[in-house]
Each structure stands twice: as structure tokens, then as C-alpha cells.
Amino acid sequence: SGPVPGSGRWAAVTCVLTGASRGFGRSLARLLAPRLGEGSLLLLLARSAAPLAELAAELRGSGSGLRVECVAADLGCEQGLGRAVAALREVLPAAPPGRLLLVNNAGSLGDISKSFLDLTDPDEINSYFAFNVTSALCLTSAALRAFGERPGSSRTVVNVSSLCALKPFKSWALYCSGKAARDMMFQVLALEEPDVRVLNYAPGPLDTDMQLLARTKTGDPEMRQYFQRLQESGKLIDCTVSAQKLVSLLEEDAFCSGAHVDFYNI
């Protein structure tokens, strides 16, 4: 038996999801859409316009009275981030009042063929952090401000995190430090805004394009082998399985705000 659309905590929800066009984001969008009831709004953000429009059309076809909007923007460049923030400021003040759910899923690996000592170009490093850290902070602050504090409504912010936020991996200086920065950033949000529910969710090693890059492009040979073995031994996690765990976490709503919760610890 499927979920009843718009019952309980999924009634009149405004959901914003970044990195929605593929991988974990797309799987999560497909799981959330049937749960969001009449009058709910799903705002999808991603870089690639065509797959984003395709996904939006598919989700609109579910017939639950859900409004699906999409914004194609490269969050790593000032223009793209500006466009995304403008969309939030335009849409959120008039959005359904019941609940705001913001999922910061967009992210990139960076050039993992490089060791620490190869990372010498400030432009490369700054553009990595602009996309992976700055945009998540700006979008989250803009969304929370635009939605505002409404009596009786709840606000939840999810950061799609990683084991790499806690543990260093060779060749992954940018990715690990970006994920660590994001985790800490959202812990500060949890501390400052006690009425906002904040979750750092590490989805586990997902079977995505990113994992393909990990096992083919990682500079450190041991790391490369580690990722190859994960795939060969069937240890990679299907995106839908991990997204389902996140949805369950959100439904139970029992996590400690600001906590780092790993797929394997649930």
C-alpha cells in the first residue's frame, strides 16, 4: 500500500530540492512527489535543464494536485546562484504554509585525480567551494528567510553529507573538506535556530555517476581499488533504497537537530 498523499506531515508542504535531475536527487524527488498532497509545491533545482524538465513532467503526471516547478541553474556560478535565490524569494513567501522541507543535495567530487600537493590553482579551489559550500549556505539562508517564521508551520533543512565529512580519504582533499564544512555549517544553523529541524544525512556509497568517477579517476591507487571492490562485491547502495531511508527519517522526525546520521546507522 502506497503513502496517502498529503496526510499528516506531508499536507501543504513546500519542498525545495537541489541536484534533482539525476542520481540521489532524482530518486528522492520520485519518492517525495506521491507523498505531497494537494496544494503542495515541489521546487526542483539542477544544472541540466532537459533532464530536469523531463522529471518535472513525470512528477506532474502523478495527478495528486501537486505543483512542480523547476529552476535550471548552475549553483557554482554567481549568475546561476542569483537566479536560484531569486526564484526562492519569489515563490516561497506565497508557498503552502504547513511545512518547508529544503534538501541540499547538489554537490561535486572535484578533480580527484589530484593529490593535496597538486591543488595549487586558487580559481579551481574557489570554484569548488563556491558550488559545494557557498551555494548551500546562501540557498538555505534565502529559503528560510523567504518562507519566514509562520505560526504552526515547521521547517526542516537536510544536508546530503558523506562519511567524507568525518574521515579523510587520499586524493579527496576538496570533497572531504567541502563535506566537513557543510556539516559544521548546518550544525551552527541547528544551534542558532532551535525551531528549524536540521539533519546531516550521509546516504552511503551510492551506485551513481559519481561512484563511477571515484573508481576510475581517483589518483590514489589504493582508494581506486577500494571503490572498485565496493562495486564488484555489490556493496554499492541503490539511490532509491537510501532515499527511502531519508524519507523514513523525516517521517519519524526523531533525529537530534544538527545530527550526522549515516545510512548504515539506521
Side-chain angles (χ1 to χ4, degrees), residues 4-180:
V4 179
S7 58
R9 60 177 74 253
W10 300 108
V13 176
T14 302
C15 178
V16 181
L17 172 60
T18 70
S21 65
R22 56 189 189 153
F24 185 74
R26 184 173 58 190
S27 296
L28 184 59
R30 284 176 170 153
L31 284 176
L32 286 172
R35 285 177 163 73
L36 302 172
E38 185 95 35
S40 287
L41 166 67
L42 179 56
L43 185 60
L44 306 171
L45 287 90
R47 239 179 317 199
S48 322
L52 193 59
E54 248 169 70
L55 177 66
E58 174 198 317
L59 299 180
R60 281 185 198 114
S62 64
S64 65
L66 167 68
R67 187 175 143 214
V68 184
E69 300 284 341
C70 45
V71 181
D74 179 355
L75 300 176
C77 76
E78 237 171 289
Q79 235 179 338
L81 180 56
R83 197 160 61 240
V85 165
L88 294 180
R89 287 183 181 148
E90 188 186 332
V91 171
L92 292 188
R99 183 182 189 195
L100 174 68
L101 171 61
L102 169 62
V103 183
N104 290 285
N105 168 62
S108 65
L109 270 180
D111 188 346
I112 51 173
S113 69
K114 292 180 173 168
S115 69
F116 186 107
L117 298 184
D118 296 325
L119 293 166
T120 55
D121 176 7
D123 288 342
E124 178 186 359
I125 297 161
N126 288 337
S127 75
Y128 182 82
F129 286 108
F131 177 42
N132 288 279
V133 180
T134 308
S135 78
L137 176 49
C138 292
L139 277 181
T140 303
S141 57
L144 289 172
R145 276 176 169 275
F147 189 81
E149 291 181 50
R150 309 181 189 192
S153 74
S154 66
R155 297 177 293 168
T156 303
V157 175
V158 177
N159 167 40
V160 176
S161 183
S162 168
L163 174 61
C164 296
L166 311 178
K167 188 180 164 173
F169 287 93
K170 289 178 182 175
S171 299
W172 286 32
L174 291 178
Y175 189 77
C176 290
S177 52
K179 286 296 188 189

Side-chain angles (χ1 to χ4, degrees), residues 103 144 150 199 216 223 226 242 250:
V103 183
L144 289 172
R150 309 181 189 192
L199 174 64
T216 53
M223 275 285 289
Y226 165 74
S242 185
L250 293 171

